[in-house]
Amino acid sequence: MNNVLEVKNLNITFDTYAGKVKAIRGVSFNLKKGETLAIVGESGSGKSVTTRSIMRLLSQNANVEDGTILYNGDDLIKKTEKEMQKIRGKDIAMIFQDPMTSLNPTMTIGKQISEPIRLHQKLNKEEATNRALELLNLVGLPQAEKRMKQYPHQFSGGQRQRIVIAIALACNPEILIADEPTTALDVTIQAQILDLMKELQKKISTSIIFITHDLGVVANVADRVAVMYAGKIVEVGTVDEIFYNPQHPYTWGLISSMPTLETEKTLYAIPGTPPDLLDPPVGDAFAPRNEFAMKIDTELEPPFFEVSDTHSAATWLLHPDAPAVTPPAEIRARQALYKEKFANYYGKNETSVFSSENEVKGGL
Amino acid sequence: MKSYAKYLGKRILYMFLTLFLIASITFFLMKLLPGTPYSNQDKLSEEQIFIMNEKYGLNEPLPVQYVVYMSRLLGGDLGTSFQFNNTPVTELLSTRVGPSLQLGIQAVVLGTTLGIILGVIAAMNQNTWIDTTATFTAILGRSIPNFVIAVLLQLIFGVYLKWFPIALWNNGFSSSVLPTLALAIAPLADSARFIRTEMVEVLSSDYVELARAKGLSRLTVAFKHGVRNALIPLVTILGPMAVALMTGSLVVENIFAIPGIGEQFVKSILTNDYPTIMGVTILYSAMLVGIILVVDVLYGIIDPRIRVTNEGGDE
């Protein structure tokens, strides 16, 4: 599979009164055709800024200090605003977090859906309306014809997110960026929207960048996962690798703090707070919160260590000289749990994702 | 739609009720004014005053005068002016309301249109020199009295450039240009300030970002998606502002020698010209309540969420 999007060494800062905030500090990742890449991380880790920079929709005080964003080989950073306008909504589309606020309250939804169609596909009003109707049917909104003339406040949250998805899919984009599309919805509607997105992805074969801080959602939709912390990607791998064989202590923390049906005690919480990106710490930004931190973590930033072809993590624990570390009990318990639960789903060979068992590879 | 007609009917009914109350209150307040309608009272004998009062019904007890006035008012008769050569008040108003109305409407339309554009541009360039300049212009326009601007306009466009007449009202459009400009400054400044504040918020909203993500340009987004959502606060102040301008600005009318209604109102109060005071007050009030109704209807047109209907919401 070839990459539709290659982000290389992206560095973004924001000018604030307090100084330059280093929001994105050398992010690199690829998006393959037709895959769903989930970007996870806590608030402020730079997930949204990364995707906004792909759309070139950053606020005016943002500066791209370094890096390239190659879309089919073209650097989006170098594009003019005019050129970007031709890409936005046509080749790269976006779904936003809060459907309650992401539709214009004073415009009928028919008009809002046909707007990008008329803009990019140069269709006339009638053709655009027909296409909009088609889209509303596609996203499963009943009585589309009647509802075209209605305003956003006449729809429920789930319906509005369906409309936002319809707008995003209007021109069959190659890349769909979904910025926490289910966070503002209640759980049953979340499931519906996720199912809808998966179904639509099959139909129109888009690549999806799925931003979320909900690991449950990640397990549900993603092919690959990138874990972000303090403006950096700290671990990237397939969804199985991240869930069954996480390597970075931050990923351990994230997974441990996700409740399971078996959770009885108090849920784990990562101690401390994320670093101030006005003045990022030297070395590994996660070190102050990391119980496995070594001396080098406070001195030198860890490079990426490859765990497999698809899996790598930026932690010194994977360095050949690092002492062998046993992941926290919580992670080991979960691995055992997954193994037991999914034994039926995976053949004997498939369990190889557990290969490193209870020990981190770096210790080898 | 049926419910909307019902709503409108109700509103119009209330409008007349409001007008009735205003007319009644004004009637009694006016009678409390010191003095009489006779400017040369010293020279008049008791009998003469009595005869005059008798003629105009001013000797009757107040409640009787009130009932007589109100019943005539219902028939559309505003009485006869004491002061302005015994002309009927309706005639007096109809000849004078025209210029004031024309100037007012022109000033409101021009002022708000330019103000909206200025405000949007300022908001789009928030915290840059463009924004600062626009805000400064707005503050300037709000703080310089319109009669100063009027005189300046006369000097520049009338005396030096000779493009427009200095002070001449012959109902031609060119004679209305300078007074319109002078009157338009205040609504321009006000609407620019209101729109800027509101637009700054609107432009950072999610739906504006979504509109940008569709591939629309910043300008298209601002005017197509932004302005309508930023209009509500402006529309609220627009009503009273429009009335104030349409009913005439006394000073500006004086400077440009415009036979408007503002001048007449002041004169009528000074001379206790009861029928004219009542007439002008009722006219002002009618315009105000009328415009308030228009504003309420506008709300619904601008923002569908405020619309008073039964349709939709069938979730």
Side-chain angles (χ1 to χ4, degrees):
Chain A
M1 279 196 280
N2 43 344
N3 294 330
V4 276
L5 193 76
E6 287 175 31
V7 177
K8 282 182 199 153
N9 191 30
L10 191 64
N11 279 281
I12 292 169
T13 62
F14 286 90
D15 297 324
T16 66
Y17 287 112
K20 260 188 193 302
V21 174
K22 296 162 192 77
I24 301 293
R25 306 183 298 138
V27 162
S28 304
F29 65 89
N30 300 327
L31 181 68
K32 297 189 179 72
K33 202 161 174 51
E35 80 166 345
T36 301
L37 170 72
I39 301 182
V40 298
E42 60 197 89
S43 305
S45 59
K47 310 179 299 265
S48 294
V49 176
T50 307
T51 52
R52 294 289 191 288
S53 65
I54 297 169
M55 289 292 265
R56 290 273 307 280
L57 281 177
L58 290 168
S59 55
Q60 284 170 338
N61 62 341
N63 319 299
V64 178
E65 303 279 344
D66 194 14
T68 52
I69 298 174
L70 298 181
Y71 166 65
N72 286 333
D74 268 358
D75 191 355
L76 293 181
I77 301 284
K78 293 205 178 75
K79 295 250 184 246
T80 62
E81 172 62 24
K82 267 252 157 65
E83 289 170 326
M84 275 316 293
Q85 282 168 14
K86 286 190 187 129
I87 292 173
R88 281 187 210 127
K90 180 167 165 270
D91 302 315
I92 307 177
M94 199 157 176
I95 301 172
F96 292 88
Q97 178 171 353
D98 189 356
M100 304 311 272
T101 57
S102 50
L103 291 169
N104 183 345
T106 59
M107 198 184 263
T108 61
I109 63 134
K111 232 179 172 177
Q112 296 193 52
I113 299 173
S114 40
E115 204 173 21
I117 304 169
R118 296 193 64 184
L119 185 73
H120 294 298
Q121 302 182 336
K122 308 278 180 256
L123 297 181
N124 65 32
K125 208 169 175 180
E126 200 180 322
E127 292 166 326
T129 308
N130 288 336
R131 171 85 180 119
L133 269 174
E134 214 175 278
L135 283 161
L136 282 182
N137 286 321
L138 188 72
V139 296
L141 209 69
Q143 294 176 284
E145 201 132 353
K146 176 188 153 203
R147 312 226 76 184
M148 290 273 284
K149 293 187 193 75
Q150 294 187 334
Y151 290 91
H153 70 277
Q154 290 161 304
F155 294 84
S156 69
Q159 288 174 323
R160 290 192 211 183
Q161 198 61 308
R162 283 170 194 269
I163 294 164
V164 173
I165 292 174
I167 293 173
L169 297 180
C171 304
N172 294 325
E174 212 171 345
I175 300 173
L176 181 65
I177 297 171
D179 189 353
E180 309 213 20
T182 57
T183 308
L185 302 172
D186 62 62
V187 190
T188 45
I189 307 295
Q190 267 189 23
Q192 288 177 18
I193 295 291
L194 290 176
D195 286 344
L196 174 71
M197 287 185 66
K198 282 196 281 191
E199 183 193 320
L200 293 176
Q201 187 183 21
K202 268 186 215 144
K203 271 189 197 159
I204 64 172
S205 69
T206 353
S207 312
I208 298 181
I209 297 179
F210 201 105
I211 299 182
T212 180
H213 53 240
D214 186 342
L215 288 170
V217 171
V218 173
N220 195 349
V221 298
D223 298 314
R224 287 196 306 132
V225 183
V227 181
M228 276 193 88
Y229 182 76
K232 276 173 171 293
I233 290 181
V234 294
E235 184 162 5
V236 62
T238 65
V239 68
D240 285 349
E241 285 165 339
I242 296 294
F243 276 91
Y244 301 142
N245 187 25
Q247 299 294 325
H248 197 283
Y250 179 62
T251 318
W252 291 344
L254 277 186
I255 291 176
S256 303
S257 52
M258 176 177 68
T260 64
L261 287 174
E262 282 75 17
T263 306
E264 280 168 359
K265 298 171 297 191
T266 315
L267 200 59
Y268 175 80
I270 303 175
T273 51
D276 182 5
L277 292 178
L278 260 175
D279 182 24
V282 186
D284 186 352
F286 188 60
R289 304 171 74 182
N290 181 3
E291 54 180 309
F292 304 97
M294 297 175 288
K295 187 156 176 268
I296 189 164
D297 278 318
T298 60
E299 289 164 358
L300 207 61
E301 245 176 85
F304 270 98
F305 292 95
E306 272 197 11
V307 182
S308 75
D309 285 350
T310 51
H311 187 189
S312 52
T315 168
W316 285 117
L317 292 178
L318 289 174
H319 191 273
D321 296 339
V325 165
T326 314
E330 180 67 35
I331 292 291
R332 279 179 286 138
R334 278 174 201 245
Q335 282 177 340
L337 190 72
Y338 293 143
K339 214 166 157 186
E340 184 188 317
K341 277 201 166 173
F342 298 119
N344 306 330
Y345 297 102
Y346 293 101
K348 272 174 195 159
N349 298 333
E350 292 284 343
T351 47
S352 62
V353 285
F354 300 117
S355 62
S356 61
E357 288 292 86
N358 296 338
E359 212 164 282
V360 169
K361 250 194 170 169
L364 295 174
Chain B
M1 273 295 108
K2 206 178 160 193
S3 67
Y4 196 61
K6 209 171 148 192
Y7 164 77
L8 267 186
K10 214 165 143 190
R11 284 296 307 269
I12 290 169
L13 198 76
Y14 280 130
M15 237 173 78
F16 281 105
L17 194 68
T18 313
L19 279 181
F20 170 77
L21 286 176
I22 292 174
S24 306
I25 294 168
T26 316
F27 185 87
F28 290 107
L29 282 179
M30 179 179 75
K31 294 290 180 185
L32 289 176
L33 281 174
T36 60
Y38 314 112
S39 54
N40 48 356
Q41 201 163 5
D42 304 346
K43 291 176 191 153
L44 294 177
S45 65
E46 293 275 322
E47 286 85 12
Q48 281 173 313
I49 291 175
F50 182 82
I51 291 165
M52 293 285 268
N53 279 350
E54 193 65 34
K55 184 177 181 235
Y56 289 107
L58 297 176
N59 282 337
E60 305 287 339
L62 212 50
V64 177
Q65 288 186 32
Y66 172 70
V67 173
V68 169
Y69 183 81
M70 284 317 235
S71 51
R72 280 192 187 155
L73 185 63
L74 282 179
D77 180 9
L78 287 172
T80 309
S81 166
F82 297 162
Q83 205 61 41
F84 300 93
N85 305 328
N86 280 337
T87 21
V89 173
T90 32
E91 194 189 313
L92 205 66
L93 290 180
S94 59
T95 52
R96 292 226 161 193
V97 79
S100 292
L101 210 60
Q102 184 197 344
L103 284 182
I105 292 172
Q106 281 178 198
V108 167
V109 171
L110 181 78
T112 47
T113 312
L114 290 181
I116 289 171
I117 294 172
L118 196 70
V120 170
I121 291 172
M124 282 179 71
N125 298 285
Q126 203 196 342
N127 299 332
T128 64
W129 65 270
I130 299 172
D131 184 19
T132 319
T133 314
T135 310
F136 182 71
T137 314
I139 293 171
L140 216 63
R142 199 73 201 87
S143 38
I144 301 178
N146 56 14
F147 54 84
V148 174
I149 293 169
V151 175
L152 265 176
L153 289 171
Q154 284 179 324
L155 184 70
I156 298 170
F157 296 102
V159 177
Y160 293 145
L161 297 172
K162 296 192 171 58
W163 288 357
F164 302 108
I166 297 170
L168 170 77
W169 189 262
N170 54 11
N171 287 327
F173 175 72
S174 78
S175 55
S176 76
V177 171
L178 292 187
T180 301
L181 283 179
L183 287 174
I185 294 294
L188 188 153
D190 277 342
S191 41
R193 274 188 321 127
F194 270 81
I195 287 286
R196 185 205 170 268
T197 315
E198 202 63 19
M199 267 307 262
V200 165
E201 204 171 300
V202 166
L203 285 180
S204 64
S205 66
D206 290 349
Y207 57 84
V208 161
E209 198 177 14
L210 182 94
R212 294 262 290 135
K214 284 176 181 174
L216 299 170
S217 71
R218 288 186 68 210
L219 208 66
T220 317
V221 171
F223 281 95
K224 226 173 137 191
H225 289 265
V227 172
R228 199 164 154 188
N229 287 295
L231 273 182
I232 291 292
L234 176 65
V235 169
T236 312
I237 59 153
L238 204 62
M241 199 161 75
V243 176
L245 287 174
M246 279 181 219
T247 47
S249 162
L250 173 70
V251 186
V252 173
E253 281 182 3
N254 253 329
I255 291 174
F256 289 101
I258 294 157
I261 210 167
E263 182 200 11
Q264 204 174 27
F265 191 33
V266 177
K267 231 186 224 169
S268 67
I269 293 172
L270 290 177
T271 56
N272 283 12
D273 186 353
Y274 300 138
T276 312
I277 297 177
M278 285 302 289
V280 178
T281 309
I282 291 170
L283 180 75
Y284 274 28
S285 326
M287 279 178 159
L288 188 62
V289 291
I291 280 188
I292 289 173
L293 180 67
V294 171
V295 163
D296 281 354
V297 172
L298 267 182
Y299 278 149
I301 291 171
I302 291 168
D303 192 336
R305 286 168 299 182
I306 311 179
R307 230 166 266 177
V308 193
T309 48
N310 287 332
E311 56 172 311
D314 52 1
E315 298 305 311

